[in-house]
Amino acid sequence: MIRTFVGIPLPGAVVRDLTAAQAGLPAGRAVAPENFHLTLAFIGEHPEPVIEDLHLALDRITGAGFQVSLAGAGLFGNKRPRVLYAGVRSGPELGRLREKVVQAARGAEIPLARERYTPHVTLARLNSGLSPEDAAELRDFAARRAGFSTAPFRIEGFALFRSTLGRNGAIYEALAKYPLDK
Ligand code: ATP
Ligand code: MG
């Protein structure tokens, strides 16, 4: 079984901005710079032949590149925050690309959870045992990062990532890359 997700790698300048935004993080595990990404769809664990079908379907996706920027910060999980994230500012193209990826997954007979898609870049992951004090400090931290933003940048493609969960967090490896504008 291979655990995968479809995501967009980020340009170096954006990675530097995200790293700067993590400074002073009061609790939780900061995402390593090489791991920053914008998830298009979490695929989950599937046998290799299913992932090969997914790859072929992803490879058939066409479309033009487009601009987005990152802006704002927040926490997923209100009482029990699980993720500190940077927000994404985009036009309709990002949602359309996500929809193409969802259709590609369907074509490979991978049913995806029908949940709302909230584009974001994870800055830090928070343990379930977070104390109320740490949670309060994180809310303050997120509030101080409300003005976070990056310059607009161009999404030129996306990738299929293998995610290997480990004691020191997940290790991601791009299995295939799919350029837009091809
Ligand atoms: P860990 O789970 O050890 O904290 P991780 O979340 O980085 O590590 P994965 O769980 O493999 O690694 O997730 C890969 C990507 O998919 C991450 O961007 C994660 O936020 C996203 N993701 C994981 N599970 C889901 C889910 N159920 N729904 C939406 N996105 C998910
Ligand atoms: Mg996870």
PDB file of all heavy atoms in Angstrom, residues 38 66-70 87-95 117 119 155:
ATOM      1  N   LEU A  38       0.898  22.794  -1.036  1.00  0.00           N
ATOM      2  CA  LEU A  38      -0.526  23.103  -1.049  1.00  0.00           C
ATOM      3  C   LEU A  38      -1.232  21.821  -1.502  1.00  0.00           C
ATOM      4  O   LEU A  38      -1.026  21.368  -2.632  1.00  0.00           O
ATOM      5  CB  LEU A  38      -0.747  24.250  -2.044  1.00  0.00           C
ATOM      6  CG  LEU A  38      -1.961  25.142  -1.962  1.00  0.00           C
ATOM      7  CD1 LEU A  38      -1.807  26.281  -2.959  1.00  0.00           C
ATOM      8  CD2 LEU A  38      -3.245  24.418  -2.157  1.00  0.00           C
ATOM      9  N   PHE A  66      -1.539  29.362 -13.384  1.00  0.00           N
ATOM     10  CA  PHE A  66      -2.284  30.512 -12.873  1.00  0.00           C
ATOM     11  C   PHE A  66      -1.593  31.055 -11.631  1.00  0.00           C
ATOM     12  O   PHE A  66      -0.742  30.395 -11.034  1.00  0.00           O
ATOM     13  CB  PHE A  66      -3.733  30.120 -12.551  1.00  0.00           C
ATOM     14  CG  PHE A  66      -3.867  28.943 -11.640  1.00  0.00           C
ATOM     15  CD1 PHE A  66      -3.978  29.111 -10.271  1.00  0.00           C
ATOM     16  CD2 PHE A  66      -3.863  27.649 -12.148  1.00  0.00           C
ATOM     17  CE1 PHE A  66      -4.089  28.014  -9.418  1.00  0.00           C
ATOM     18  CE2 PHE A  66      -3.974  26.546 -11.304  1.00  0.00           C
ATOM     19  CZ  PHE A  66      -4.089  26.735  -9.941  1.00  0.00           C
ATOM     20  N   GLN A  67      -1.995  32.271 -11.264  1.00  0.00           N
ATOM     21  CA  GLN A  67      -1.363  32.941 -10.124  1.00  0.00           C
ATOM     22  C   GLN A  67      -2.181  32.768  -8.846  1.00  0.00           C
ATOM     23  O   GLN A  67      -3.407  32.788  -8.884  1.00  0.00           O
ATOM     24  CB  GLN A  67      -1.240  34.431 -10.422  1.00  0.00           C
ATOM     25  CG  GLN A  67      -0.101  34.755 -11.365  1.00  0.00           C
ATOM     26  CD  GLN A  67       0.524  36.102 -11.058  1.00  0.00           C
ATOM     27  OE1 GLN A  67      -0.117  36.995 -10.537  1.00  0.00           O
ATOM     28  NE2 GLN A  67       1.797  36.234 -11.369  1.00  0.00           N
ATOM     29  N   VAL A  68      -1.469  32.619  -7.757  1.00  0.00           N
ATOM     30  CA  VAL A  68      -2.090  32.658  -6.433  1.00  0.00           C
ATOM     31  C   VAL A  68      -1.140  33.434  -5.517  1.00  0.00           C
ATOM     32  O   VAL A  68      -0.004  33.737  -5.892  1.00  0.00           O
ATOM     33  CB  VAL A  68      -2.325  31.241  -5.833  1.00  0.00           C
ATOM     34  CG1 VAL A  68      -3.144  30.369  -6.763  1.00  0.00           C
ATOM     35  CG2 VAL A  68      -1.009  30.557  -5.498  1.00  0.00           C
ATOM     36  N   SER A  69      -1.606  33.744  -4.341  1.00  0.00           N
ATOM     37  CA  SER A  69      -0.688  34.214  -3.303  1.00  0.00           C
ATOM     38  C   SER A  69      -1.156  33.607  -1.992  1.00  0.00           C
ATOM     39  O   SER A  69      -2.267  33.072  -1.907  1.00  0.00           O
ATOM     40  CB  SER A  69      -0.666  35.741  -3.226  1.00  0.00           C
ATOM     41  OG  SER A  69      -1.939  36.230  -2.874  1.00  0.00           O
ATOM     42  N   LEU A  70      -0.298  33.632  -1.005  1.00  0.00           N
ATOM     43  CA  LEU A  70      -0.685  33.167   0.325  1.00  0.00           C
ATOM     44  C   LEU A  70      -1.002  34.388   1.166  1.00  0.00           C
ATOM     45  O   LEU A  70      -0.331  35.418   1.051  1.00  0.00           O
ATOM     46  CB  LEU A  70       0.440  32.363   0.978  1.00  0.00           C
ATOM     47  CG  LEU A  70       0.958  31.167   0.171  1.00  0.00           C
ATOM     48  CD1 LEU A  70       1.960  30.365   1.008  1.00  0.00           C
ATOM     49  CD2 LEU A  70      -0.189  30.270  -0.279  1.00  0.00           C
ATOM     50  N   GLY A  87      -3.216  30.925   4.759  1.00  0.00           N
ATOM     51  CA  GLY A  87      -4.325  30.892   3.807  1.00  0.00           C
ATOM     52  C   GLY A  87      -3.856  31.085   2.374  1.00  0.00           C
ATOM     53  O   GLY A  87      -2.708  31.475   2.115  1.00  0.00           O
ATOM     54  N   VAL A  88      -4.721  30.800   1.435  1.00  0.00           N
ATOM     55  CA  VAL A  88      -4.422  30.916   0.012  1.00  0.00           C
ATOM     56  C   VAL A  88      -5.417  31.891  -0.612  1.00  0.00           C
ATOM     57  O   VAL A  88      -6.615  31.815  -0.356  1.00  0.00           O
ATOM     58  CB  VAL A  88      -4.549  29.544  -0.690  1.00  0.00           C
ATOM     59  CG1 VAL A  88      -4.280  29.680  -2.186  1.00  0.00           C
ATOM     60  CG2 VAL A  88      -3.598  28.538  -0.060  1.00  0.00           C
ATOM     61  N   ARG A  89      -4.892  32.810  -1.394  1.00  0.00           N
ATOM     62  CA  ARG A  89      -5.743  33.742  -2.130  1.00  0.00           C
ATOM     63  C   ARG A  89      -5.649  33.369  -3.600  1.00  0.00           C
ATOM     64  O   ARG A  89      -4.559  33.367  -4.162  1.00  0.00           O
ATOM     65  CB  ARG A  89      -5.239  35.170  -1.901  1.00  0.00           C
ATOM     66  CG  ARG A  89      -6.197  36.248  -2.334  1.00  0.00           C
ATOM     67  CD  ARG A  89      -5.601  37.610  -2.107  1.00  0.00           C
ATOM     68  NE  ARG A  89      -5.601  37.999  -0.705  1.00  0.00           N
ATOM     69  CZ  ARG A  89      -4.794  38.923  -0.195  1.00  0.00           C
ATOM     70  NH1 ARG A  89      -3.889  39.511  -0.956  1.00  0.00           N
ATOM     71  NH2 ARG A  89      -4.874  39.246   1.079  1.00  0.00           N
ATOM     72  N   SER A  90      -6.771  33.007  -4.190  1.00  0.00           N
ATOM     73  CA  SER A  90      -6.726  32.563  -5.587  1.00  0.00           C
ATOM     74  C   SER A  90      -8.040  32.870  -6.282  1.00  0.00           C
ATOM     75  O   SER A  90      -9.063  33.082  -5.641  1.00  0.00           O
ATOM     76  CB  SER A  90      -6.470  31.060  -5.658  1.00  0.00           C
ATOM     77  OG  SER A  90      -7.623  30.355  -5.281  1.00  0.00           O
ATOM     78  N   GLY A  91      -7.985  32.855  -7.588  1.00  0.00           N
ATOM     79  CA  GLY A  91      -9.191  32.946  -8.397  1.00  0.00           C
ATOM     80  C   GLY A  91      -9.812  31.559  -8.488  1.00  0.00           C
ATOM     81  O   GLY A  91      -9.449  30.662  -7.727  1.00  0.00           O
ATOM     82  N   PRO A  92     -10.742  31.375  -9.433  1.00  0.00           N
ATOM     83  CA  PRO A  92     -11.453  30.096  -9.549  1.00  0.00           C
ATOM     84  C   PRO A  92     -10.584  28.956 -10.069  1.00  0.00           C
ATOM     85  O   PRO A  92     -10.965  27.793  -9.965  1.00  0.00           O
ATOM     86  CB  PRO A  92     -12.583  30.403 -10.539  1.00  0.00           C
ATOM     87  CG  PRO A  92     -12.109  31.585 -11.321  1.00  0.00           C
ATOM     88  CD  PRO A  92     -11.218  32.376 -10.413  1.00  0.00           C
ATOM     89  N   GLU A  93      -9.384  29.268 -10.576  1.00  0.00           N
ATOM     90  CA  GLU A  93      -8.584  28.222 -11.234  1.00  0.00           C
ATOM     91  C   GLU A  93      -8.163  27.110 -10.269  1.00  0.00           C
ATOM     92  O   GLU A  93      -8.095  25.945 -10.656  1.00  0.00           O
ATOM     93  CB  GLU A  93      -7.329  28.825 -11.872  1.00  0.00           C
ATOM     94  CG  GLU A  93      -7.605  29.875 -12.934  1.00  0.00           C
ATOM     95  CD  GLU A  93      -7.585  31.286 -12.357  1.00  0.00           C
ATOM     96  OE1 GLU A  93      -7.808  31.440 -11.141  1.00  0.00           O
ATOM     97  OE2 GLU A  93      -7.366  32.237 -13.134  1.00  0.00           O
ATOM     98  N   LEU A  94      -7.878  27.489  -9.035  1.00  0.00           N
ATOM     99  CA  LEU A  94      -7.403  26.487  -8.075  1.00  0.00           C
ATOM    100  C   LEU A  94      -8.495  25.454  -7.793  1.00  0.00           C
ATOM    101  O   LEU A  94      -8.229  24.247  -7.794  1.00  0.00           O
ATOM    102  CB  LEU A  94      -6.941  27.170  -6.782  1.00  0.00           C
ATOM    103  CG  LEU A  94      -6.356  26.245  -5.724  1.00  0.00           C
ATOM    104  CD1 LEU A  94      -5.111  25.529  -6.236  1.00  0.00           C
ATOM    105  CD2 LEU A  94      -6.030  27.028  -4.450  1.00  0.00           C
ATOM    106  N   GLY A  95      -9.712  25.928  -7.565  1.00  0.00           N
ATOM    107  CA  GLY A  95     -10.833  25.017  -7.334  1.00  0.00           C
ATOM    108  C   GLY A  95     -11.095  24.137  -8.550  1.00  0.00           C
ATOM    109  O   GLY A  95     -11.435  22.958  -8.417  1.00  0.00           O
ATOM    110  N   TYR A 117     -13.346  21.702   0.430  1.00  0.00           N
ATOM    111  CA  TYR A 117     -11.922  21.908   0.153  1.00  0.00           C
ATOM    112  C   TYR A 117     -11.525  23.305   0.617  1.00  0.00           C
ATOM    113  O   TYR A 117     -12.063  24.300   0.132  1.00  0.00           O
ATOM    114  CB  TYR A 117     -11.668  21.743  -1.351  1.00  0.00           C
ATOM    115  CG  TYR A 117     -10.255  22.071  -1.774  1.00  0.00           C
ATOM    116  CD1 TYR A 117      -9.179  21.377  -1.237  1.00  0.00           C
ATOM    117  CD2 TYR A 117     -10.006  23.067  -2.709  1.00  0.00           C
ATOM    118  CE1 TYR A 117      -7.883  21.678  -1.624  1.00  0.00           C
ATOM    119  CE2 TYR A 117      -8.715  23.368  -3.107  1.00  0.00           C
ATOM    120  CZ  TYR A 117      -7.654  22.669  -2.561  1.00  0.00           C
ATOM    121  OH  TYR A 117      -6.382  22.966  -2.943  1.00  0.00           O
ATOM    122  N   PRO A 119      -8.276  25.403   0.645  1.00  0.00           N
ATOM    123  CA  PRO A 119      -6.859  25.455   0.295  1.00  0.00           C
ATOM    124  C   PRO A 119      -6.053  26.132   1.402  1.00  0.00           C
ATOM    125  O   PRO A 119      -6.490  27.146   1.952  1.00  0.00           O
ATOM    126  CB  PRO A 119      -6.824  26.296  -0.984  1.00  0.00           C
ATOM    127  CG  PRO A 119      -8.226  26.638  -1.328  1.00  0.00           C
ATOM    128  CD  PRO A 119      -9.120  26.184  -0.245  1.00  0.00           C
ATOM    129  N   ILE A 155       1.465  29.084 -10.338  1.00  0.00           N
ATOM    130  CA  ILE A 155       1.388  27.627 -10.197  1.00  0.00           C
ATOM    131  C   ILE A 155       1.628  27.046 -11.580  1.00  0.00           C
ATOM    132  O   ILE A 155       0.820  27.232 -12.489  1.00  0.00           O
ATOM    133  CB  ILE A 155      -0.006  27.201  -9.686  1.00  0.00           C
ATOM    134  CG1 ILE A 155      -0.357  27.971  -8.415  1.00  0.00           C
ATOM    135  CG2 ILE A 155      -0.103  25.684  -9.557  1.00  0.00           C
ATOM    136  CD1 ILE A 155      -0.175  27.303  -7.139  1.00  0.00           C
TER     137      ILE A 155
END
